[in-house]
Amino acid sequence: GESVGLHLPTLSVQEGDNSIINCAYSNSASDYFIWYKQESGKGPQFIIDIRSNMDKRQGQRVTVLLNKTVKHLSLQIAATQPGDSAVYFCAENGGQGGSARQLTFGSGTQLTVLP
Amino acid sequence: DAGITQSPRHKVTETGTPVTLRCHQTENHRYMYWYRQDPGHGLRLIHYSYGVKDTDKGEVSDGYSVSRSKTEDFLLTLESATSSQTSVYFCAISLSGNEQFFGPGTRLTVL
């Protein structure tokens, strides 16, 4: 079946460096992608989303890049801070219409920011 | 977590007992979802709702039922709890069906 996967389960970066978290998807019908951050003991928190008619979108210190040719999604975090340490999930909607949209989530990448 | 509450936040129960988890929203969003999160499996959809009294099954619906009698409340019931249902349960809401906002979660332990 279709799935969303992450290239690396863990990522460690030095404070102040940029972080790049990658995600591969296999459903070419997906037209909406979203990144979440989850801190220990909390629910996933929306970071940024992107639609398939775009290849880049920027937020505050974050950028999402979408490469539809190779079905690849990445989240870039600029000047990584200790508060960025968390698990990051990508999700895609599989291009579903109908009565409700569902998201399929990847298994997550643990980002650790080193002092 | 603004606008979404889950109750209880923690529950310990015994195998075979019924359990009901509640999700309450103040955002008037149309779509509501129940997920479970387990190590190695990420977030998996149990059931979802696209309106009052309109619900459908997700990926892992066996052993669970839901009800939505009003916009703001979405209930998840474990008809007869089993140890395999020990998990963290998250409710999510969405206005459009794409961007979903999650509640704080309920940690359920079935002994």
Side-chain angles (χ1 to χ4, degrees), chain A residues 1-2 5 14 19-20 41 57-59 61 64 74 85 87 90 98 105 110:
Chain A
E2 304 288 358
Q14 293 293 136
S19 302
I20 299 176
R57 191 171 187 212
Q58 290 183 295
R61 279 201 309 118
V64 55
S74 68
S85 291
V87 176
C90 64
F105 288 82
Q110 173 70 57

Side-chain angles (χ1 to χ4, degrees), chain B residues 15-98:
Chain B
T15 297
T17 60
V19 175
T20 295
L21 308 182
R22 180 185 184 230
C23 177
H24 180 78
Q25 62 149 328
T26 58
E27 306 296 325
N28 200 34
H29 284 189
R30 176 184 178 187
Y31 300 98
M32 299 186 75
Y33 306 81
W34 275 109
Y35 292 89
R36 59 178 290 173
Q37 186 175 41
D38 306 288
H41 290 280
L43 285 157
R44 292 181 293 174
L45 182 65
I46 304 171
H47 281 279
Y48 63 94
S49 170
Y50 47 94
V52 173
K53 296 191 188 330
D54 292 324
T55 65
D56 207 345
K57 297 178 179 180
E59 176 189 358
V60 290
S61 61
D62 287 348
Y64 302 95
S65 62
V66 290
S67 66
R68 191 169 179 199
S69 59
K70 45 187 178 178
T71 300
E72 57 266 36
D73 289 325
F74 192 32
L75 304 180
L76 176 71
T77 297
L78 287 64
E79 294 136 11
S80 177
T82 67
S83 58
S84 65
Q85 294 176 311
T86 292
S87 187
V88 180
Y89 292 85
F90 288 102
C91 172
I93 65 174
S94 178
L95 185 62
S96 66
N98 275 330

Side-chain angles (χ1 to χ4, degrees), chain A residues 31-32 34 36 38 41-46 49 51 89 93 98-107, chain B residues 1 9 30-31 33 35 37 40 42-43 45 48 50 57-58 90 96-104:
Chain A
D31 58 9
Y32 177 79
I34 189 168
Y36 287 94
Q38 187 175 24
K42 296 185 178 181
Q45 178 186 1
F46 170 83
D49 59 1
R51 297 189 180 277
F89 296 92
N93 75 342
S99 59
R101 297 219 172 205
Q102 301 177 40
L103 295 176
T104 300
F105 288 82
S107 55
Chain B
D1 297 351
R9 293 294 314 279
R30 176 184 178 187
Y31 300 98
Y33 306 81
Y35 292 89
Q37 186 175 41
L43 285 157
L45 182 65
Y48 63 94
Y50 47 94
K57 297 178 179 180
F90 288 102
S96 66
N98 275 330
E99 184 178 332
Q100 295 182 20
F101 298 96
F102 285 80

